[in-house]
Amino acid sequence: MRRSVWLLLLCFILTACGGGNPYLEASLKPAEMQGKDKTWFEKNWGIPDGKAPRFFGGEIWTYYRIAGGKSGLPFFNFSPNQCQIMLKFDKDDTLSDYNYSGC
């Protein structure tokens, strides 16, 4: 009985440590987001945490979100992952590219 509990716990830990963040990728929906404008993102995502101009016109908006995390031993303290999402807008204020890190 004790061995099966440890095996189940080990399986749970291994599945929780998968690579990437499929939930974030699904929430960005790259094909659907291409071409959306700044007002759409402000309405649906809120005001960005940071803005910076691009060299050839347009802006880069930065959002910070909590995207999952890790529980560590011995007391299962939860350590959240802070995800940085950068949206790159062109001169026409439409989304041209994005990237994210820390997720």
Side-chain angles (χ1 to χ4, degrees), residues 1 30 33 41 47 65 84 90 93 96 103:
M1 178 68 185
M33 295 298 168
F41 281 98
I47 298 171
R65 299 288 191 258
Q84 178 184 23
D90 58 14
D93 292 339
S96 62
C103 304

Side-chain angles (χ1 to χ4, degrees), residues 31-42:
E32 184 179 312
M33 295 298 168
Q34 295 296 332
K36 297 287 185 186
D37 61 355
K38 290 180 181 179
T39 56
W40 186 91
F41 281 98
E42 237 176 346

Side-chain angles (χ1 to χ4, degrees), residues 52-60 89 91:
R54 293 179 77 179
F55 187 72
F56 291 109
E59 274 187 317
I60 298 174
F89 295 96
K91 291 185 276 187

Side-chain angles (χ1 to χ4, degrees), residues 16-68:
C17 297
N21 190 337
Y23 301 108
L24 181 63
E25 187 65 34
S27 69
L28 287 173
K29 297 180 188 171
E32 184 179 312
M33 295 298 168
Q34 295 296 332
K36 297 287 185 186
D37 61 355
K38 290 180 181 179
T39 56
W40 186 91
F41 281 98
E42 237 176 346
K43 179 183 174 189
N44 291 290
W45 287 27
I47 298 171
D49 298 310
K51 295 181 182 182
R54 293 179 77 179
F55 187 72
F56 291 109
E59 274 187 317
I60 298 174
W61 285 11
T62 306
Y63 288 92
Y64 293 98
R65 299 288 191 258
I66 301 298

